[in-house]
Amino acid sequence: MCGIVGIYGVEEASKYLYFGLYSLQHRGQEGAGIAVFDGKKIREYKNLGLVSEVFNEKVLQELPGEIGIGHVRYSTTGSSVLQNVQPFCVKHAGKTLALAHNGNLINAYRLRCDLEEEGHIFQTTLDSEVIVHLIVKNLKIGLVDAIAHTMQRIKGAYSVLLLYDDILVAFRDPWGFRPLALGMLNGGYVVASETCAFDLLGAEYLRDVEPGEILLINENGPKSYYPFRETPQPLSHCIFEFIYFARPDSLIFQKNVYIVRKNLGINLYKECPLEADLVMPFPDSGTYSALGYAKASGLPLEFGVIRNHYVGRTFIEPSERLRDLSVRMKLNPVKEVIRGKEVIVIDDSLVRGTTSKNRIKSIKLAGAKKIHFLISCPPLKFPCFFGIDFPKASELIASKHSVEEIRKFLDIDTLYYLSLDGLLDSVGDLRDKVCLACFTGNYPLEVDFSFRKDIIER
Ligand code: AMP
């Protein structure tokens, strides 16, 4: 996962990009970068770390200009190197291309092998670099056609921002896996992964960049091209954006995330109405579903665990004796709320089960009498190849164990997962337009397992 933001025609673009990235920080904490066209050339700055660690006033002042793009990168194993931080910039025929990509391609490794055979040299292990090579290779037919041609070859999830000197281009895969929205700012334009970036910048949301659209913005204004008009693909918006990933104040695929999450909680109650003393979330991921469950049930909503918002990465591994410390550091139970109570705890998802086991243990130690644990999505059984960082199937607890086995492992009174129907009901009219592969194993695109390196190397 990653977050991207682009600005066209706004003074001090780098500052707006900085704040835009700040509001998209939840989409990636490994590294951040900004590339801006200064009137003559593209300047860039990127580094490992959080947006607030990478940039300061001086760095932003050295990125003057009105057109630029930015990126925040999600932390995945094995690729935590500066080279892999975006925007990815290359020089070609006197111009610079900078690219910021959110999503995963599923055929990048095969394409890369073909390109390497033709003599192309790669600098990173990014699937995004393949996109740059394919565009540059075809530039002789014109920028838009080169992008359209590239879009016909790459398969998978891509919401992309491209800076070609003074031209900003946004393009999105025809399945619409990842979000991308267009807004208006001080007479200029802003494109961002989530609309929460618009709210912070004071921009007005205009519309989504459509699946399969190429939106080019230059001195003549925005212009759209639709290379998939004759061959539209089935829409496959990532439902996990609603469940966990996106910010609740954002519009994703034109729907507000907060309201969808609250619906998940209401549907949890319809499917699993329980009696208890209180409903509590594991914050922040379970907060809005817990709100929905409490509203539907009439039970009191309490914050039985408190989140420390200042926990960043810690480089000190707690010793065995201190191993519970890392759990309590992020979420600490309020004994006075929990002690002697029968509690309904709500979280958005169970992935490996290890974090939840520790969290549950800590509320048990705080004196909870009975624990009912409700998950606002169905069991996660299949890995994601389109950009959500889900481990191999063997590491997903629900792929190897039944609900009853997981309940025993967590050592709780009740474990309930929302049904697929309850999930789909929560997204209303998007129900036929979402990717559910992590629950069903039905991937919207055939994944080429003989080229698994694509999947492993990120
Ligand atoms: P666990 O009990 O180890 O499965 O962790 C569950 C917690 O991880 C939940 O609070 C989820 O919100 C959170 N989570 C959701 N998606 C992911 C993901 N892709 N990678 C890591 N953690 C996630």
Side-chain angles (χ1 to χ4, degrees):
M1 289 305 298
C2 294
I4 55 176
V5 56
I7 298 273
Y8 188 93
V10 181
E11 269 177 46
E12 296 192 284
S14 64
K15 286 197 180 159
Y16 283 98
L17 290 167
Y18 168 79
F19 285 111
L21 292 179
Y22 216 108
S23 66
L24 298 174
Q25 185 76 82
H26 60 288
R27 297 185 72 86
Q29 297 91 42
E30 178 187 287
I34 287 177
V36 179
F37 181 70
D38 72 1
K40 286 201 180 94
K41 61 177 190 304
I42 289 177
R43 299 175 189 228
E44 54 160 330
Y45 188 85
K46 55 191 182 179
N47 212 338
L48 294 168
L50 298 173
V51 176
S52 59
E53 295 164 345
V54 171
F55 296 102
N56 57 39
E57 186 81 37
K58 186 167 171 288
V59 168
L60 294 176
Q61 265 164 12
E62 283 164 13
L63 295 169
E66 301 185 359
I67 309 164
I69 58 174
H71 188 269
V72 282
R73 182 168 168 75
Y74 188 86
S75 167
T76 50
T77 45
S79 56
S80 200
V81 289
L82 181 56
Q83 266 163 317
N84 282 351
V85 179
Q86 299 187 29
F88 177 70
C89 292
V90 292
K91 291 197 177 10
H92 178 261
K95 290 194 178 240
T96 306
L97 264 105
L99 180 131
H101 170 206
N102 174 206
N104 277 0
L105 302 184
I106 56 167
N107 65 340
Y109 187 68
R110 186 186 282 272
L111 291 169
R112 184 177 170 133
C113 291
D114 293 348
L115 288 162
E116 281 178 341
E117 220 156 84
E118 289 171 28
H120 289 247
I121 294 161
F122 284 81
Q123 301 171 29
T124 70
T125 57
L126 293 172
D127 54 352
S128 323
E129 192 173 352
V130 169
I131 306 178
V132 175
H133 278 260
L134 289 173
I135 293 173
V136 169
K137 191 171 143 78
N138 290 290
L139 270 176
K140 52 190 171 298
I141 58 173
L143 180 61
V144 171
D145 285 341
I147 294 170
H149 187 270
T150 301
M151 289 167 80
Q152 299 291 350
R153 293 202 60 193
I154 54 179
K155 301 267 176 288
Y158 56 90
S159 283
V160 174
L161 291 173
L162 176 79
L163 205 56
Y164 185 53
D165 272 356
D166 57 350
I167 301 172
L168 175 68
V169 191
F171 56 97
R172 189 169 169 216
D173 65 73
W175 302 273
F177 283 105
R178 302 280 145 233
L180 195 61
L182 170 68
M184 189 121 210
L185 173 68
N186 302 348
Y189 294 92
V190 51
V191 187
S193 296
E194 293 185 32
T195 60
C196 63
F198 299 168
D199 298 338
L200 179 68
L201 303 182
E204 183 198 347
Y205 168 72
L206 294 177
R207 64 177 177 88
D208 279 6
V209 175
E210 286 173 44
E213 177 179 356
I214 301 173
L215 172 72
L216 181 139
I217 311 177
N218 62 13
E219 59 200 0
N220 302 319
K223 190 159 182 199
S224 294
Y225 304 85
Y226 300 94
F228 293 90
R229 185 165 271 153
E230 309 299 321
T231 53
Q233 301 297 310
L235 289 179
S236 308
H237 303 313
C238 170
I239 201 152
F240 215 70
E241 292 271 357
F242 284 118
I243 296 168
Y244 169 73
F245 210 70
R247 251 173 64 158
D249 47 343
S250 286
L251 283 181
I252 292 293
F253 317 127
Q254 297 160 58
K255 233 181 227 319
N256 171 253
V257 176
Y258 180 117
I259 290 170
V260 170
R261 284 188 193 159
K262 201 168 160 193
N263 290 343
L264 296 172
I266 293 170
N267 283 331
L268 260 179
Y269 178 72
K270 283 187 191 154
E271 294 181 11
C272 184
L274 294 171
E275 281 301 321
D277 294 311
L278 59 96
V279 180
M280 57 175 268
F282 277 151
D284 292 333
S285 48
T287 301
Y288 309 93
S289 309
L291 195 66
Y293 193 96
K295 183 171 186 276
S297 64
L299 293 171
L301 175 73
E302 299 282 0
F303 289 90
V305 288
I306 301 298
R307 177 169 170 197
N308 180 343
H309 285 268
Y310 303 98
V311 177
R313 283 154 301 159
T314 158
F315 299 102
I316 303 165
E317 275 297 307
S319 61
E320 183 67 7
R321 201 159 61 87
L322 293 177
R323 77 184 190 284
D324 291 338
L325 183 145
S326 59
V327 182
R328 283 199 305 272
M329 191 159 67
K330 191 159 179 200
L331 290 187
N332 189 37
V334 187
K335 296 186 202 68
E336 291 70 16
V337 171
I338 291 174
R339 196 182 292 129
K341 299 278 168 47
E342 180 166 345
V343 297
I344 296 171
V345 183
I346 302 199
D347 204 359
D348 71 299
S349 56
L350 261 177
V351 185
R352 291 183 172 85
T354 45
T355 315
S356 308
K357 181 155 177 83
N358 286 323
R359 289 173 175 176
I360 280 166
K361 191 175 149 204
S362 76
I363 54 175
K364 201 166 274 181
L365 283 173
K369 193 171 70 183
K370 266 188 161 186
I371 299 173
H372 309 288
F373 192 32
L374 314 188
I375 307 293
S376 67
C377 72
L380 283 167
K381 294 187 177 174
F382 301 92
C384 175
F385 304 121
F386 303 99
I388 297 280
D389 180 27
F390 281 150
K392 288 182 278 181
S394 59
E395 291 173 27
L396 291 166
I397 191 166
S399 81
K400 303 180 291 191
H401 297 284
S402 68
V403 175
E404 178 55 14
E405 283 167 347
I406 303 170
R407 185 193 69 76
K408 283 195 181 131
F409 165 74
L410 294 174
D411 192 18
I412 48 180
D413 299 277
T414 311
L415 173 64
Y416 184 81
Y417 285 93
L418 185 66
S419 70
L420 206 53
D421 221 44
L423 173 64
L424 290 173
D425 181 77
S426 309
V427 295
D429 56 355
L430 288 182
R431 64 178 297 137
D432 302 322
K433 299 174 182 149
V434 285
C435 174
L436 300 166
C438 50
F439 307 116
T440 62
N442 297 328
Y443 294 100
L445 282 169
E446 207 179 317
V447 180
D448 182 355
F449 287 98
S450 64
F451 277 82
R452 268 200 69 102
K453 221 170 162 169
D454 274 14
I455 295 142
I456 294 157
E457 268 212 4
R458 63 195 69 257

